C-alpha cells in the first residue's frame, strides 16, 4: 500500500467549494454551485463546481475543468509547487521535507530574498533621510510620482559611495558571499567588493508573489551611462522571466481581462498612480515565452504599448512573432476546435498594439493627459493591422516586387490567425491596401502553408520508423487506467509522438494534459511533453529534475515494477486504447453532469438551459466519436 501522498491529503482536507468561493460568488443550484467563469468574460454563469466529485468545469468558452489544484494554479497563475504550498497551508498539512539539496536551495532562496528585502528597506530609508538623496527626491518630484506611489513601489536611493550598502548590510549580519549572489556587490579583481549601485534611484523588482528579487537602478546624472542598471541574472532574478509590476497588476488584469505591456518602470508606476493598474513592463527585452506564459494565466488579451521609435517597434514585433509561436503551441485545443460550442478562435490570444503619439511614451501620455490613456488602450489595433500599416509606410505601390515582399513578411502572422473568417478579412484588407489581387495573396498563403504541413508529416513518419523494442508493462488489472496510461508514456520517449500520430490519423486530438484528471498527473505530463519538445531523447532523470520534489513520489509510483514485455506496436495500440477509455470516461461524466444541469435549468426556466443543451450535444458527439474510435481500435498500430 502506497502511503497517502501529501497531495491527496491536502485534497481530502479542502473543500473545492470553499476554496473557489473565496475567489468567486458561488450560487447554489440544485446539488451544485454556479458562478460567472473567472477565466473568460460572460454574462450568464457557465462555471460549475461539483461538490460530490470535488471538481469544477467551465461549460462556456473555456470548456476546461479540473480539481482544486488546477483551479488555484489557473486563478493565481501559480506553478504546482506554489499551489501545493499555499493549499497545504490552508489545509494545515505539513509538507514533506525535500531532498537535502533542494532543501538547501530553498533555504538559500529564502535567505537571499530576506537580504534583498532588507536592502530595499535600506535604500528606501536612505532616500527619505540622507542629505545626499536630494537630487533623487527632486527627480521623483519632477516625474510627478506621489508619496503613495513611492511607498507602494518601495523606491529608494543608493549613496554615491563604494561601500554604502555593503557596510550597512554586513553590519546587519548578512554575509558578503550572499551580497555577491544577489548582485548587490561586485568582486574586485584585487580582492574585496564594492557596491554595484551607486548614486542611483533604486526600484525594487518583485516576483509575481510580491517578493523582492532584484533592482532596477536609474542614473540621476543626465549623462549617466547606462540610464538603467539592472541586477544581474541571479538564482532569483532573470529579467527575461520577469514582468515588472505583475504582483500589483494581477488583480486588475483579471478583473479587466486585459493586460498592457509597457517598456519601462516609469510607465508602470505612472499608470498605476493614475489608476490604470493592469500595466506591467518587460524591462527592455523583447517579450519572451516565459513572460507570456505568466500573463496568459491571467488574461489572453494583451496590449503592447510600444516605444514609437523604429528600433523599439522592431524589437517588440520580433517579440510578437515569438509570442505567436509559443502561444499557439501552448493553446493547442483539447478537442476538435471546430466542434467545440462554436467558439471559434477562442484559443487565439488577442494581441493588440497601442499606438502612442510620436515622441511620447506611456509615462508622458498618462502624465499629460490621463484620460487619453484608456482611449489609446481601447483603440489598440490588432497586430496584423499594425504590422501591415508599418510595412506599408514606404512601399512604392507600383513596385510589384516590393509588394510581394510585404505579403511574404505578413504571411507568418497571417497564418497565426486561427479564425478562418478573420483571416479572410485580413487577406482582403491586405489585397486592398497593396492593390493586388486577393487570390494572389491567398495562393501565396496556401503554397507556403502546404510546405510546412508536408514537412511536419514526414518528420512524424520518421518518428514511426523507430526500431521495434521490447517493452515491459505493469498489467495489474486494478491499476487505474490513468496511472497505466501515463506510466507507459513515460517509459519511452518516442512513444508519445507515435501515439499522437495514430490519434491524428484518426482525426482525434493528440494527448493533452486535460486527458488526465489529477493536477499532479497534468503537471508531470506537461513537463514530459515540454521536455520531449526540446529534447526528443530525454530521460526520466531529466524529468525528475524538472519536477518539484513533491511530485517525485508520484513519479516513482508511475515507474511501477515491470511485469510483462510488450512489442512496440502493441504498446502503441495499448496506450491509444487506454487513452480513449480515459476520454470516454471523462466525457461520460461530463454528459451526465450536463444532463443534470439541463434538467435543473429547464425546471427553473433558466435561459442557460440552451447553452447546456448545446454543450450536451457537443459532448455527446465527442463521446460518440471516441466510442467509435474505440470500437475500431483493433486495427490500430
Ligand atoms: Zn470559462
Amino acid at each position: 500500500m502506497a502511503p497517502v501522498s501529501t497531495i491527496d491529503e491536502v485534497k481530502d482536507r479542502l473543500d473545492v467549494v470553499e476554496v473557489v468561493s473565496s475567489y468567486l460568488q458561488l450560487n447554489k443550484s440544485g446539488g451544485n454551485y454556479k458562478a460567472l467563469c473567472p477565466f473568460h468574460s460572460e454574462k450568464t454563469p457557465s462555471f460549475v463546481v461539483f461538490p460530490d466529485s470535488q471538481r469544477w468545469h467551465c461549460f462556456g468558452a473555456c470548456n476546461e475543468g479540473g480539481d482544486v489544484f488546477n483551479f488555484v494554479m489557473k486563478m493565481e497563475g501559480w506553478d504546482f509547487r506554489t499551489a501545493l504550498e499555499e493549499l497545504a497551508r490552508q489545509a494545515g498539512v505539513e509538507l514533506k521535507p525535500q531532498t537535502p539539496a533542494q532543501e538547501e536551495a530553498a533555504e538559500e532562496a529564502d535567505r537571499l530574498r530576506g537580504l534583498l528585502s532588507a536592502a530595499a528597506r535600506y535604500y528606501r530609508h536612505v532616500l527619505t533621510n540622507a542629505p545626499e538623496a536630494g537630487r533623487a527626491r527632486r527627480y521623483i518630484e519632477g516625474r510627478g510620482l506621489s508619496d503613495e506611489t513611492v511607498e507602494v513601489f518601495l523606491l529608494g536611493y543608493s549613496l554615491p559611495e563604494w561601500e554604502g550598502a555593503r557596510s550597512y548590510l554586513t553590519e546587519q549580519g548578512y554575509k558578503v558571499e550572499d551580497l555577491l549572489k544577489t548582485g548587490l556587490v561586485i568582486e574586485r579583481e584585487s580582492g574585496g567588493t564594492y557596491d554595484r549601485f551607486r548614486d542611483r534611484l533604486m526600484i525594487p523588482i518583485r516576483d509575481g508573489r510580491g517578493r523582492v528579487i532584484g533592482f532596477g537602478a536609474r542614473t540621476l546624472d543626465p549623462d549617466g551611462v547606462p540610464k538603467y542598471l539592472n541586477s544581474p541574472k541571479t538564482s532569483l532574478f532573470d529579467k527575461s522571466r520577469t514582468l515588472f509590476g505583475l504582483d500589483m497588476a494581477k488583480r486588475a488584469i483579471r478583473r479587466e481581462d486585459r493586460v498592457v505591456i509597457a517598456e519601462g518602470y516609469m510607465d508602470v508606476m505612472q499608470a498605476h498612480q493614475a489608476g490604470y493598474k493592469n500595466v506591467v513592463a518587460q524591462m527592455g527585452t523583447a517579450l519572451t515565452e516565459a513572460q507570456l506564459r505568466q500573463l496568459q494565466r491571467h488574461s489572453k488579451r494583451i496590449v503592447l504599448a510600444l516605444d514609437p521609435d523604429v528600433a523599439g517597434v522592431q524589437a517588440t514585433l520580433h517579440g510578437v512573432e515569438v509570442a505567436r509561436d509559443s502561444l499557439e503551441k501552448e493553446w493547442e485545443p483539447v478537442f476538435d476546435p471546430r466542434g467545440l460550442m462554436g467558439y471559434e478562435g477562442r484559443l487565439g490570444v488577442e494581441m493588440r498594439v497601442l499606438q502612442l503619439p510620436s515622441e511620447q511614451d506611456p509615462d508622458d501620455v498618462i502624465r499629460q493627459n490621463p484620460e487619453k490613456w484608456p482611449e489609446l488602450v481601447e483603440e489598440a489595433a490588432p497586430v496584423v493591422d499594425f504590422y501591415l500599416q508599418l510595412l506599408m509606410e514606404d512601399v512604392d505601390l507600383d513596385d510589384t516586387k516590393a509588394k510581394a515582399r510585404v505579403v511574404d513578411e505578413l504571411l507568418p502572422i497571417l497564418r497565426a490567425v486561427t479564425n478562418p473568417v478573420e483571416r479572410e478579412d485580413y487577406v482582403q484588407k491586405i489585397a486592398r491596401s497593396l492593390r493586388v489581387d486577393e487570390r494572389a495573396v491567398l495562393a501565396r498563403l496556401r503554397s507556403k502553408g502546404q510546405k510546412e504541413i508536408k514537412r511536419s508529416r514526414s518528420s512524424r513518419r520518421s518518428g514511426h520508423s523507430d526500431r521495434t523494442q521490447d517493452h515491459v508493462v505493469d498489467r495489474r488489472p486494478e491499476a487505474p487506467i490513468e496511472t497505466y496510461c501515463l506510466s507507459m508514456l513515460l517509459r519511452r520517449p518516442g512513444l508519445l509522438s507515435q501515439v499522437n500520430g495514430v490519434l491524428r490519423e484518426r482525426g482525434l486530438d493528440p494527448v493533452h494534459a486535460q486527458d488526465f484528471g489529477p493536477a499532479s498527473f497534468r503537471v508531470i505530463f506537461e513537463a514530459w511533453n515540454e521536455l520531449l519538445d526540446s529534447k526528443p531523447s530525454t530521460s526520466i532523470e531529466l524529468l525528475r529534475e524538472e519536477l518539484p520534489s513533491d511530485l517525485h513520489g508520484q513519479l516513482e509510483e508511475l515507474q511501477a515494477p515491470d511485469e510483462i514485455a510488450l512489442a512496440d506496436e502493441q504498446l502503441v495500440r495499448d496506450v491509444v486504447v487506454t487513452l480513449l477509455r480515459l476520454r470516454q470516461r471523462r466525457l461520460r461524466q461530463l454528459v451526465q453532469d450536463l444532463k443534470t444541469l439541463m434538467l435543473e435549468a429547464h425546471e427553473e426556466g433558466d435561459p442557460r438551459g440552451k447553452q447546456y443543451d448545446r454543450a450536451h450535444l457537443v459532448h455527446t458527439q465527442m463521446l460518440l466519436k471516441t466510442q467509435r474510435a474505440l470500437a475500431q481500435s483493433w486495427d490500430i498500430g
Side-chain angles (χ1 to χ4, degrees), residues 190-355:
S190 55
T193 59
Y194 62 96
D195 286 8
R196 176 182 301 271
F197 305 112
R198 299 176 309 278
D199 191 21
R200 281 174 180 265
L201 178 73
M202 300 299 294
I203 306 164
I205 299 165
R206 292 180 275 205
D207 65 10
R209 291 163 82 184
R211 303 173 300 192
V212 179
I213 52 174
F215 289 92
R218 194 191 193 285
T219 179
L220 295 164
D221 179 349
D223 306 317
V225 175
K227 198 160 124 189
Y228 281 97
L229 180 66
N230 284 326
S231 290
K233 190 172 171 181
T234 68
S235 58
L236 294 179
F237 177 61
D238 178 351
K239 86 175 166 178
S240 69
R241 301 183 152 270
T242 310
L243 286 155
F244 177 72
L246 182 59
D247 58 316
M248 282 176 281
K250 275 193 299 197
R251 273 174 185 275
I253 294 172
R254 278 200 302 268
R255 197 177 50 234
E256 288 164 42
D257 188 18
R258 177 152 58 193
V259 55
V260 180
I261 306 180
E263 288 185 70
Y265 306 107
M266 283 300 158
D267 301 326
V268 173
M269 291 192 269
Q270 210 64 253
H272 282 236
Q273 179 169 305
Y276 308 123
K277 300 203 175 189
N278 62 338
V279 181
V280 298
Q282 67 191 70
M283 296 190 289
T285 54
L287 268 183
T288 65
E289 181 171 335
Q291 289 171 330
L292 281 157
R293 272 179 203 275
Q294 289 179 51
L295 289 181
Q296 160 220 333
R297 292 171 181 150
H298 303 295
S299 175
K300 290 179 181 178
R301 294 167 67 205
I302 296 167
V303 175
L304 302 162
L306 288 182
D307 183 338
D309 78 52
V310 178
V313 168
Q314 275 167 354
T316 313
L317 281 175
H318 173 72
V320 170
E321 280 173 43
V322 172
R324 282 285 187 177
D325 283 342
S326 58
L327 293 177
E328 290 293 320
K329 219 190 295 160
E330 170 93 331
W331 294 337
E332 213 170 317
V334 184
F335 301 113
D336 183 359
R338 286 150 298 183
L340 276 183
M341 304 176 150
Y343 284 97
E344 281 163 321
R346 77 194 145 78
L347 295 161
V349 57
E350 186 197 275
M351 187 115 37
R352 289 174 176 261
V353 180
L354 179 159
Q355 272 177 291

Side-chain angles (χ1 to χ4, degrees), residues 130-186:
E132 296 94 323
R135 189 152 69 152
R137 290 195 291 264
R138 280 193 300 281
Y139 175 81
I140 289 172
E141 220 184 288
R143 281 292 188 143
L145 297 176
S146 69
D147 290 348
E148 198 196 330
T149 303
V150 171
E151 192 60 51
V152 170
F153 284 91
L154 270 174
L155 298 190
Y157 172 68
S158 53
L159 289 168
E161 288 171 12
W162 293 98
E163 304 188 342
R166 198 199 66 183
S167 341
Y168 172 80
L169 290 164
T170 48
E171 267 166 37
Q172 299 295 306
Y174 293 102
K175 294 203 177 68
V176 175
E177 192 194 328
D178 285 352
L179 268 79
L180 275 166
K181 281 184 186 159
T182 54
L184 286 169
V185 299
I186 299 174

Side-chain angles (χ1 to χ4, degrees), residues 37-40 42 46-47 58-63:
C37 176
F39 308 122
H40 78 277
E42 60 176 2
S46 49
F47 182 92
C58 166
F59 291 100
C62 309
N63 191 42

Side-chain angles (χ1 to χ4, degrees), residues 7 27 54 86 92 100 153 162 209 219 256 259 371 373 376 383 391 480 487-488 513 527 545-546 606 610 618:
I7 299 158
N27 290 313
Q54 288 290 303
E86 292 294 324
F153 284 91
W162 293 98
R209 291 163 82 184
T219 179
E256 288 164 42
V259 55
E371 301 82 55
W373 179 253
L376 289 174
V383 173
L391 292 174
S487 81
M488 284 307 104
E545 282 170 27
E546 290 288 313
D606 187 333
K610 277 219 176 74
V618 171

Side-chain angles (χ1 to χ4, degrees), residues 401 434-435 555 584 590:
K401 271 192 184 152
L434 287 170
R435 288 195 241 133
L555 186 63
Q584 175 179 257
L590 279 174

Side-chain angles (χ1 to χ4, degrees), residues 98-105:
Q98 314 178 15
T99 65
Q102 280 166 329
E103 219 168 317
E104 207 174 295

